[in-house]
Amino acid sequence: MSGTDRPTDIGPPESSAAGLPAVLASTRHARREMGLRRSLTSLLKVNQPDGFDCPGCAWPESPGRNHIEFCENGVKAVAEEATTKRVGAAFFAEHSVADLEQRDGHWLGQQGRLTTPVVKRPGDTHYRPVSWNEAIRVVADGLKALDSPDEAAFYTSGRTSNEAAFLYQLLARRFGTNNLPDCSNMCHESSGVALTETIGIGKGTVTLDDVEQADLLVIVGQNPGTNHPRMLSSLEAAKRRGGRIIAVNPLPEAGLIRFKNPQRARGLIGRGTELADLFLQVSLNGDLGLFQLLNQRLLERHDRGERVLDEDFIASSCEGFEAFADHVREQDPSRLLAASGLTSSEVDAALEMIVGARSMIVCWAMGITQHRNAVATIREVANLALMRGSIGRPGAGLCPVRGHSNVQGDRTMGIYEKPPPALLDALAAEFGFEPPRDDGRDTVDTIRGMRDGHVRAFVAMGGNFAEATPDTGVTEAALRRCDLTVHVSTKLNRSHAVTGATAVILPCRARTDRDEQDGVAQFVTVEDSMSVVHRTSGHLPPPAVDLPSEVEVVTRLAAAVMPDVGIDWDGFRRDNDRTRDVIERVIPGFEDFNERVREPGGFVLPNPPRDTRSFATPSGRARFSINHLDVIEVPPGSLLLQTLRSHDQYNTTIYGLDDRYRGISGGRRVVFVHPADLAELGIDDGATVDIVGSADGTERRAPRFRVVAYPLARHSCAAYFPETNVLVPLDSVAEGSQTPTSKSVVVRLEAPTPAATA
C-alpha cells in the first residue's frame, strides 16, 4: 500500500461547485503536466470544431460554444494525454513487473506517456522493448495459436474513436468471435437494456436544447459536478429560463447545490446559481421504491379525475398501460415509502413539481445502473415519462448521461457481444464472409472465461481492465491464467502489471496527438451522449515519431493475423475516409458520413422516439412495464456500500489525491458513514477500519480505511473505486444486464486485521 493512501486532512464538504477554486486547480494541474505554452495551445483546442474532443466525459458541446469549452476535470484529462513526461526503454529496464505491481494507480499514471512497444515473455521479470514488427508478430502468433477464436476476448474502452471501434469489431468478427466486452457492460448496460425494452432504442432521447428548455429536470444517481461538469452550464441555462431541478441522491453533491460558473463574474466572485429546488436524499437502492410510489400517487390523482396523464399519447403510442397501472395500484404504499427512505411530504413535493411541469427530463448515471434492480428502476422511470407524455417533444425525454467521450459511439459501431442480426448481415454483404452468429462474452463472462480456462487471450483497446472490473482478486487471477494479454494504451496502469504468460503493451497516439498517414492529415470521429457525431483531430506532435494511431494498431494487427481474407487492412490504415465510407454502408444513420462530419458540429443520428415519437418495438408502441420491488436486506451491524469517484479522478485514472468537494485532502482510503450509524456501530469518526464483505460465503476485505462522518443516507456507506472493487462479487450483477452491482454491496466495518495493520 502506498503511503499516499492515507488522507492528510479531512474538512467539511463544500456547498458549491466550480468557481475560482476550479480555475486555480485547473491552472496548477495544467502547468505542472504541460507547461504554460503547451497548456494554452491545447486548451484552446478542446471541444472546438477544428480541435479535439475532450478525452473526459461525453457531455455534448453547445453550437454557440465559446473559446473556453472545458471544465476542471477536462483540463486534467487533457493534461494526462498532453503531459511532457515520457515512459521509454530506460523505465522498463529499471522497473520490473513485480515493482510495477506494488505501485498504486496514481504513481503509475504520473510516469508519463508510453513511447515504445514492450513484451514480457514467459519467465521474464521485466518488460523488454521490441520493434513494432516484433510486437505485432508476438500478438498475431498468440492469437493464431488458439484452438478456437472464442478463446480470445477483445475488450474496448469508451475513448476509442468510431473508426478504430468499427475496425476493431471487424477484426474480432472476421477472426471468428463475438467476444467483444466493453466498458458499457460495467456502466450503462442497464440503461441500454431497459430503454430498448420500453422505447425501442438503447439511447437517450433528448438534445442539449431540450435540457436547457425543460420545465423540470430530475437528476437521479448522478454527480455532474465531478463526472460531467459541463452539464452544470446547461443546468444553469435551464434555471435562467425558469426551469426547476429535483436532485435524487443518497449523498448531497456540491455540483447540484450551487454552481459558480467560472465564465461569469457572478460565478467567480459572487454566489453563483442555486441549482436543486428539491433534494431527495433517497436510501441507497431506494430509487425503484421512489419512482413506483410517484407513479402510484400519479395514478391516484388520475383516478380522482385530475388531468395528470397524457391520455392521448398513451392511447395512440403505448401498450401495456392497464396491466402496469393495476400492478402499481396494488402495491403497499407504506412499503414503497419505507424502501425510498423519504417522508411522504417529500414525495408529495416532488409529485407537485412533476404535475406542474409541461415538459420533464429525467437524467441518470451509474448511481442507478449498478444495482441488482437497475433495469427495473430505469423501466419504472420510463413508466413515469410515458404516463406524462414526456418523450418526443421539446424539453422532454429520457437522458442516461454516459461516461467516456465515445462509449456510446463504440456501441453504435458494433462493439457489442450480442450483435443484432442486421449488423451481421451488413458485414457479410460488405466484406464477403459469414460473421459468427452466437452471442459472445460480456465483461463479467470474459472474467469467468479467463478464470475457467476458456478464454486464453485477452486484448484490450484502451482502458484499465484489472481495476475497472469487479472482484479484484478473482479478476487478477483470471488475467494471470491467460496465455496472452495485450494492452493498447497511452499511459501505464495497473493492468500492465497483471500479466498473462506473455504480455504485450502497444502504445498509441492520443486525442491530442497529430495523425498523418503518407503525409496526409487524418481525423477521427466520436458520438456524444446525445447522438451527435463530430470530428476530432489532435494538434501536438506524438511522444514518439513511430507511435501509431489506434486505427493503425488495429489494422496492422488484423493484417498480421488474417493477411489473406480479402480485406484491405492497409487501405484502412492509410485513409480514415475509406473506413468512414464503409461505415456509411454498414451502420444505419451514417449516410454521406464523410461530407456531413466535415460540417462544423457534425450531425445528429436518427432517434425515432425523439424525432417522430415512433418506437422500434415489436408492436411499434412504447411499452409500459411491470416491475417488482426487491429490497436488499442489510443485517444488523452491516451497511450498504456504494463505490464512487473522487473529484480527482475519472473512472480509474487518478489525477490526484484530493476530493475537494467532499473535504478530503491527500489520500483516498476513506469510508463515508452517517454520524448516527457510526454511533450505533460504536465506531469513532477518524477510526481506521477494514471494509469487509461476505457475499456468497466468501470473505472479501479492503484494508485500512479512515472513517469519515458524512451526511449521506442512513444505513449506507460510500468509498472510492477502484480501491473497493475488491468487495464487489463477480456474480453479483444487475438482473437483465449483468452490470456489476457496485452501488449496493453489503459490508461490515471491522478493526484492521494484524496483516493489514502490518
Side-chain angles (χ1 to χ4, degrees), residues 126-314:
H126 291 64
Y127 280 104
R128 302 179 188 277
V130 295
S131 69
W132 271 101
N133 286 340
E134 175 67 5
I136 294 294
R137 185 192 65 77
V138 170
V139 179
D141 287 350
L143 291 173
K144 289 189 286 187
L146 299 174
D147 295 327
S148 163
D150 286 329
E151 291 184 332
F154 296 87
Y155 175 77
T156 320
S157 162
R159 288 188 183 181
T160 307
S161 70
N162 286 328
E163 292 76 8
F166 179 84
L167 293 169
Y168 193 62
Q169 64 84 31
L170 177 60
L171 182 164
R173 293 192 165 108
R174 187 61 187 86
F175 184 65
T177 186
N178 283 318
N179 289 346
L180 283 158
D182 75 323
C183 57
S184 287
N185 298 149
M186 295 179 287
C187 301
H188 266 287
E189 198 68 60
S190 300
S191 299
V193 170
L195 293 177
T196 299
E197 290 178 359
T198 55
I199 63 172
I201 188 171
K203 300 182 181 183
T205 67
V206 303
T207 67
L208 197 59
D209 283 344
D210 288 327
V211 172
E212 297 183 358
Q213 294 172 11
D215 285 342
L216 177 65
L217 288 146
V218 186
I219 314 296
V220 192
Q222 189 185 348
N223 175 17
T226 287
N227 300 333
H228 317 91
R230 287 187 302 120
M231 182 181 180
L232 299 180
S233 296
S234 299
L235 298 182
E236 182 184 49
K239 292 286 289 190
R240 290 202 305 268
R241 289 186 171 92
R244 305 180 76 189
I245 295 174
I246 299 174
V248 183
N249 207 314
L251 286 81
E253 299 289 12
L256 287 170
I257 299 173
R258 186 177 297 276
F259 173 46
K260 294 186 175 181
N261 192 333
Q263 298 186 26
R264 298 177 180 273
R266 181 180 178 184
L268 284 175
I269 59 176
R271 288 180 50 79
T273 302
E274 184 178 349
L275 291 183
D277 298 275
L278 176 65
F279 171 47
L280 299 179
Q281 191 166 28
V282 69
S283 289
L284 185 58
N285 193 238
D287 306 277
L288 178 54
L290 167 62
F291 279 95
Q292 205 153 72
L293 186 56
L294 286 169
N295 290 340
Q296 185 184 70
R297 292 188 179 183
L298 194 62
L299 286 167
E300 288 173 354
R301 294 178 67 156
H302 166 71
D303 294 342
R304 293 198 299 265
E306 298 182 43
R307 297 184 61 83
V308 294
L309 305 187
D310 189 334
E311 297 180 59
D312 291 340
F313 172 71
I314 293 170

Side-chain angles (χ1 to χ4, degrees), residues 479-712:
L479 284 165
R480 290 189 171 99
R481 284 205 67 186
C482 289
D483 297 336
L484 174 69
T485 52
V486 183
H487 295 277
V488 183
S489 305
T490 58
K491 301 188 77 177
L492 283 171
N493 60 56
R494 178 165 176 79
S495 293
H496 302 134
V498 184
T499 71
T502 297
V504 184
I505 302 174
L506 303 176
C508 66
R509 301 189 191 201
R511 292 272 178 88
T512 53
D513 299 333
R514 284 198 303 266
D515 180 24
E516 291 186 358
Q517 297 293 331
D518 301 334
V520 178
Q522 302 289 315
F523 69 87
V524 291
T525 63
V526 295
E527 178 186 347
D528 65 30
S529 262
M530 295 178 183
S531 302
V532 178
V533 177
H534 58 92
R535 60 184 289 169
T536 173
S537 53
H539 66 291
L540 295 173
V545 293
D546 62 345
L547 201 64
S549 66
E550 290 179 323
V551 166
E552 185 174 355
V553 172
V554 173
T555 52
R556 289 184 65 178
L557 179 58
V561 176
M562 300 169 288
D564 302 315
V565 296
I567 297 176
D568 186 8
W569 301 111
D570 192 57
F572 291 139
R573 175 191 65 79
R574 290 184 286 106
D575 187 358
N576 289 340
D577 278 356
R578 295 186 62 176
T579 303
R580 286 187 283 271
D581 285 340
V582 172
I583 291 171
E584 176 182 329
R585 295 192 291 270
V586 172
I587 307 294
F590 284 83
E591 296 77 12
D592 301 319
F593 189 4
N594 269 309
E595 291 74 22
R596 289 196 293 161
V597 82
R598 283 175 162 84
E599 295 295 323
F603 61 93
V604 183
L605 291 173
N607 188 299
R610 179 194 65 213
D611 300 338
T612 59
R613 269 192 163 183
S614 56
F615 306 94
T617 61
S619 67
R621 291 170 171 259
R623 293 168 162 175
F624 282 92
S625 60
I626 294 174
N627 303 295
H628 298 280
L629 182 66
D630 183 15
V631 179
I632 297 175
E633 297 296 332
V634 180
S638 295
L639 299 169
L640 196 61
L641 168 74
Q642 66 167 324
T643 69
L644 42 71
R645 296 176 186 163
S646 157
H647 188 60
D648 247 359
Q649 77 178 97
Y650 194 80
N651 290 346
T652 61
T653 301
I654 311 300
Y655 302 134
L657 299 173
D658 298 338
D659 190 355
R660 188 172 73 248
Y661 294 154
R662 297 191 182 106
I664 307 300
S665 298
R668 295 178 48 82
R669 299 188 80 84
V670 296
V671 55
F672 301 99
V673 188
H674 194 282
D677 288 324
L678 289 178
E680 287 185 3
L681 294 170
I683 298 174
D684 294 332
D685 183 16
T688 298
V689 298
D690 289 356
I691 311 176
V692 183
S694 55
D696 64 22
T698 301
E699 182 175 284
R700 297 169 176 84
R701 183 176 296 266
R704 295 193 61 78
F705 281 70
R706 177 172 173 175
V707 172
V708 176
Y710 202 81
L712 75 169

